[in-house]
Amino acid sequence: MAALRDHAARLAFPDWLRRPTDWTSLATLYDDRAQPYTEVAVYRGHTRIHFRVYEGEELMAFWSRLIEEITE
């Protein structure tokens, strides 16, 4: 799972360079209309330094690209 989260973070934040205290978060949830969305975040220690939400067509494109890249 850590490799998937890290790859998602590199995809969402191409300029991010990992530091030893960095950790990533990847979550897919549903809003109050039952629509899925994915949150990608990078934390440095306890501070969130990057955050992005994918919804709708952008969500599908993000997951398609992520799955394609990790299966290559």
Side-chain angles (χ1 to χ4, degrees):
M1 285 304 297
L4 179 64
R5 288 189 304 263
D6 286 355
H7 197 87
R10 283 191 297 277
L11 183 61
F13 317 110
D15 295 334
W16 169 57
L17 298 173
R18 175 181 274 288
R19 291 190 186 169
T21 60
D22 289 359
W23 57 280
T24 56
S25 174
L26 175 66
T28 298
L29 308 159
Y30 292 89
D31 65 18
D32 56 355
R33 298 168 292 139
Q35 297 298 310
Y37 64 97
T38 293
E39 297 179 346
V40 183
V42 176
Y43 293 84
R44 186 157 290 149
H46 297 289
T47 304
R48 185 170 69 188
I49 60 170
H50 295 290
F51 180 75
R52 184 155 184 196
V53 175
Y54 291 94
E55 302 174 285
E57 291 182 23
E58 189 179 36
L59 172 69
M60 296 302 293
F62 171 77
W63 275 103
S64 293
R65 185 170 171 205
L66 179 61
I67 298 302
E68 181 180 315
E69 287 184 9
I70 63 172
T71 58
E72 289 180 346

